[in-house]
Amino acid sequence: GSGYLTACMATLVASDAKGANGAVVGIDHTEALVNASIENVKKSHAHLLSSGTLSFRVENAFQQPSSEETGLYDCIHVGAAVD
């Protein structure tokens, strides 16, 4: 939704003392939510986007990931809100 938690995770990845080249991917089901997240992150953490540490995309998170993405993630957070 807002990109807040995704930016928090990306901040943790970016400050990893091991110097690993980690990345955080925010996935949402509508382009409007992805665009809102990007705009929110740009306000104070644009460097996470420009460095490639953080990215967002529109996708159905409940679909089976492609074969090249299977095993790609070390951590997955699923959040939702109900109207």
Side-chain angles (χ1 to χ4, degrees):
S2 69
Y4 179 80
L5 186 57
T6 312
C8 289
M9 289 183 183
T11 300
L12 291 172
V13 167
S15 64
D16 181 11
K18 297 176 187 173
N21 293 327
V24 174
V25 180
I27 299 173
D28 222 312
H29 68 286
T30 69
E31 190 170 348
L33 289 173
V34 166
N35 290 338
S37 295
I38 291 169
E39 290 306 311
N40 286 334
V41 171
K42 282 182 179 179
K43 291 175 186 175
S44 59
H45 292 85
H47 66 282
L48 295 172
L49 295 166
S50 62
S51 69
T53 303
L54 175 58
S55 64
F56 292 93
R57 64 182 187 219
V58 178
E59 195 170 293
N60 180 350
F62 294 107
Q63 280 185 312
Q64 180 67 29
S66 64
S67 59
E68 66 246 10
E69 287 189 324
T70 303
L72 180 66
Y73 303 107
D74 293 321
C75 174
I76 298 175
H77 164 76
V78 179
V82 179
D83 288 335

